[in-house]
Amino acid sequence: MIHLYDFTLDELRDWVVRELGERPFRAVQLYEWMYQQRAKSFDDMTSLPKALRQRLNEVAYLRSAKQVVRQDSKVDPTSKFLLAWPDGVTVESVLMRHDYGNSVCVSSQVGCKMGCTFCASTLGGMIRHMTAGEMVEQLMHSQALLDEVGQRVSSVVVMGSGEPMDNYDQVMRFIDIITNEHGLNIGQRHITVSTVGLVPGIRRLAEEGRQITLAVSLHAPNDAIRGRMMPVNKAYPIAKLMEACHDYYRKTGRRISFEYALVAGENDSLECAEELADLLKGLPCHVNLIPVNYVPERGYRRTDKKQIFAFWRALLDAGVNATIRREMGHDIAAACGQLRAQYANRQA
């Protein structure tokens, strides 16, 4: 059976002509039914001939994920979903409603092998990659909820469980699918892809000229601290990472976002702020300061509010564009991997 969410429009057109013997315009109709009309089954696609709908039911499917858990925050308009696939794996996706639009956080892998010491996603390691279609399903799950109130997904962040650059081809296929004008038509500038700093992926992205936003998980201003927090720093130390970031900006003209999770007593001193400002000097960028989420298995403590603001002010005084991320879904384990880990513990 073919998962149609895995197809770009061009691929769907080729498949419809080659495998189904239909004319190319049928692929556009099918695509629009999938993404604009949000059809849940082929039988709903009433403008398609009955024989074609019957054939599609025999050889293809749209959705295979089932919702295991849905949590709705009581403190802000955030919903988190734990979705399960037929092979038994589960992943998380988060819908965040803002005044300026609705954003969905998508997971690119089941678990993660990067081993960052402050993150729940790495607990249990990485099981497998998500396909482009499975990432689309995560997005469509949130869109179905928004359809109930006449709203749509306006932005996407590939910042859930997993390392997107380690699943590069499927992530970029996912982006091609959701940005197509006959589909969800989400603008590339409204899509952010995160990485722990896999330099080959950053360099590859720079060559492709996409208009998406690159977010780099930095979390420390020097190799000593970053090496303790992020094993990837051994393969791609800060000097190599920053060289790739500067090259990325020169080739794309796109400002980079740096993620910086503040951990009490580890990377949150004013000396770290000054070192971070020196590191980023001359690179158009934005620093997103994140109070680290408490993960019981990790034991890290979050920086207190007074120190968070002092760190932020030190960056601003040094000329670095920085903001403190608004926490959303804190009461529903909305950080990457937390809900999945809790569910796994209950099933054990």
Side-chain angles (χ1 to χ4, degrees), residues 58-339:
E58 294 170 358
V59 299
Y61 66 96
L62 294 175
R63 304 183 188 188
S64 59
K66 304 296 183 183
Q67 179 177 295
V68 178
V69 179
R70 170 182 163 187
Q71 294 183 340
D72 297 307
S73 174
K74 294 181 175 61
V75 297
D76 57 59
T78 300
S79 298
K80 184 163 193 174
F81 310 98
L82 184 68
L83 305 177
W85 270 263
D87 64 354
V89 302
T90 57
V91 300
E92 298 151 286
S93 184
V94 183
L95 169 61
M96 297 162 283
R97 303 170 183 86
H98 305 279
D99 293 339
Y100 52 84
N102 302 301
S103 180
V104 174
C105 182
V106 170
S107 293
S108 59
Q109 292 170 318
V110 185
C112 184
K113 66 181 181 183
M114 294 296 117
C116 299
T117 58
F118 50 85
C119 182
S121 294
T122 64
L123 299 171
M126 201 267 283
I127 297 175
R128 71 169 175 84
H129 296 301
M130 290 265 97
T131 68
E134 289 169 335
M135 286 180 261
V136 171
E137 282 200 62
Q138 295 174 53
L139 182 56
M140 296 300 286
H141 198 83
S142 287
Q143 182 59 64
L145 186 60
L146 292 173
D147 282 338
E148 296 176 5
V149 291
Q151 297 180 13
R152 67 185 294 262
V153 174
S154 51
S155 62
V156 178
V157 292
V158 189
M159 288 185 175
S161 295
E163 165 52 49
M165 293 297 183
D166 193 40
N167 191 17
Y168 188 96
D169 290 337
Q170 291 299 313
V171 169
M172 296 306 148
R173 177 189 291 266
F174 163 69
I175 291 172
D176 289 340
I177 292 168
I178 67 173
T179 56
N180 189 278
E181 63 181 350
H182 292 286
L184 294 174
N185 197 26
I186 298 173
Q188 283 198 27
R189 291 177 181 269
H190 297 284
I191 299 172
T192 299
V193 174
S194 178
T195 178
V196 297
L198 296 190
V199 168
I202 295 173
R203 293 195 179 281
R204 184 177 175 186
L205 185 62
E207 296 297 332
E208 294 186 1
R210 296 175 182 269
Q211 294 299 300
I212 64 176
T213 296
L214 173 64
V216 176
S217 295
L218 188 57
H219 304 310
N222 59 57
D223 287 326
I225 298 175
R226 196 167 192 266
R228 291 196 298 269
M229 298 175 68
M230 304 177 71
V232 70
N233 198 70
K234 296 176 183 177
Y236 305 110
I238 287 179
K240 288 185 178 180
L241 173 58
M242 294 309 299
E243 180 184 4
C245 288
H246 279 274
D247 287 346
Y248 177 88
Y249 177 76
R250 281 193 291 269
K251 290 178 179 178
T252 67
R254 300 284 295 162
R255 186 181 72 164
I256 296 172
S257 177
F258 288 99
E259 308 291 304
Y260 196 102
L262 288 160
V263 179
E266 185 69 27
N267 65 349
D268 64 344
S269 68
L270 293 184
E271 291 76 15
C272 282
E274 293 168 2
E275 195 173 353
L276 178 61
D278 287 339
L279 179 67
L280 301 180
K281 189 176 298 182
L283 177 63
C285 63
H286 171 261
V287 176
N288 200 1
L289 297 175
I290 309 164
V292 72
N293 288 287
Y294 175 69
V295 179
E297 295 88 347
R298 298 306 191 189
Y300 278 147
R301 293 180 299 108
R302 63 170 46 199
T303 301
D304 65 49
K305 289 185 178 181
K306 182 178 179 180
Q307 184 61 19
I308 291 173
F309 279 97
F311 195 100
W312 170 67
R313 175 55 62 185
L315 291 180
L316 295 185
D317 289 345
V320 176
N321 188 335
T323 54
I324 301 170
R325 177 181 290 178
R326 176 191 172 196
E327 293 185 81
M328 299 190 71
H330 187 63
D331 61 322
I332 57 170
C336 306
Q338 287 183 304
L339 180 58

